Amino acid sequence: MAKVLPVLVIIILVSIFFSPLLKIKEVVTNQSQQCIPNQNLLNDLNLGNQNILLIDQKTLEAQIKNQYSCVDKVSLKREFPAKIVLDITVKKPVVKIEASNLSLTEDGQIVQNDNQNLPTLYLPQNLKLQLGQKITDEIIVFALKLAMPLMKSDYNVQNIRIISNEDLAAYNQQGTIAIFSSKKSPDEQVDSLQQVLIVSKINSSKIAKIDLRFDKPVVEYKEFQ
């Protein structure tokens, strides 16, 4: 009897792991923002007929991130006998794209726009955009790197516009224009901008333009009649 018991245990385990009842038949997602489609996800991730007990979260997360670059984190839940639920955390957007329902994350991923409080980025009119696409254009990537420190500053940035292959203009609530160069560090330029705002705090509404492209910021004031 003692010899038979281990054999029975093995048979039971094998039966469980190869049971058709435990083959994954459904995959659904809970997403912080729309990033990956639910349709055909079972086949897209090659999960059809895999055993629900044998799915490794780290391996699956790496696969999903490789396949859908807008994904930041993945959490796996098993709902027996044959369903898995993926909690998807999407990379956070830093700007919304003008005249669209799309946003861009700091690394250039196009995601759905669910935050109207983000600054608006004006892109070239001929640029075709698709959900899940990654933007690699250098001046746009620079704009995304600039957006985050700008939002943390006292500038109250409202929109960002590309004015050349190397330069950007950022506008705040008071209509002040800040000019930035992609040839310089975005963080250093925002730090310089912040220093100008601190020094000019009382008269900041009178500033028309702050040019950060030079060694020292060049400040122009509004002309009042």
Side-chain angles (χ1 to χ4, degrees), residues 31-220:
Q31 303 183 51
S32 59
Q33 284 182 283
Q34 188 61 37
C35 168
I36 63 178
N38 273 312
Q39 298 90 344
N40 302 318
L41 196 57
L42 186 69
N43 294 328
D44 290 345
L45 297 176
N46 297 314
L47 295 175
N49 293 321
Q50 289 196 44
N51 191 292
I52 193 172
L53 296 174
L54 300 180
I55 297 298
D56 178 71
Q57 176 168 319
K58 289 184 178 180
T59 302
L60 183 59
E61 181 177 27
Q63 178 188 351
I64 292 173
K65 285 183 176 181
N66 182 61
Q67 197 161 334
Y68 302 98
S69 51
C70 54
V71 173
D72 186 28
K73 296 179 182 179
V74 179
S75 178
L76 169 67
K77 296 178 182 178
R78 296 173 174 84
E79 294 187 1
F80 292 97
K83 177 181 177 180
I84 64 172
V85 178
L86 301 174
D87 288 328
I88 306 292
T89 302
V90 178
K91 294 176 181 177
K92 292 182 179 180
V94 294
V95 296
K96 58 185 178 183
I97 300 173
E98 185 266 341
S100 77
N101 63 345
L102 301 174
S103 295
L104 281 165
T105 65
E106 192 173 9
D107 64 349
Q109 298 299 325
I110 297 178
V111 297
Q112 190 170 356
N113 177 33
D114 293 326
N115 186 351
Q116 294 300 320
N117 295 321
L118 294 173
T120 301
L121 176 62
Y122 288 77
L123 296 176
Q125 295 295 320
N126 59 350
L127 191 63
K128 295 182 179 180
L129 306 174
Q130 292 183 346
L131 188 66
Q133 176 186 349
K134 183 168 184 178
I135 300 294
T136 58
D137 183 274
E138 289 184 2
I139 191 64
I140 298 176
V141 170
F142 175 76
L144 301 176
K145 291 180 179 178
L146 180 68
M148 185 61 73
L150 263 181
M151 285 189 289
K152 294 178 180 178
S153 73
D154 295 329
Y155 188 64
N156 295 320
V157 60
Q158 295 297 294
N159 57 71
I160 301 172
R161 296 174 184 265
I162 298 168
I163 57 176
S164 75
N165 291 332
E166 296 182 355
D167 302 326
L168 296 173
Y171 300 76
N172 70 1
Q173 291 177 335
Q174 289 76 38
T176 302
I177 306 170
I179 309 297
F180 298 88
S181 170
S182 62
K183 300 302 182 182
K184 297 177 64 179
S185 162
D187 291 323
E188 289 180 4
Q189 291 180 87
V190 173
D191 285 344
S192 296
L193 173 64
Q194 184 68 21
Q195 291 303 313
V196 171
L197 296 175
I198 291 172
V199 172
S200 308
K201 191 167 186 178
I202 297 176
N203 297 314
S204 61
S205 62
K206 297 180 181 180
I207 297 176
K209 183 170 73 173
I210 306 169
D211 199 329
L212 288 308
R213 294 173 294 181
F214 307 100
D215 291 338
K216 293 184 178 180
V218 177
V219 181
E220 296 181 15

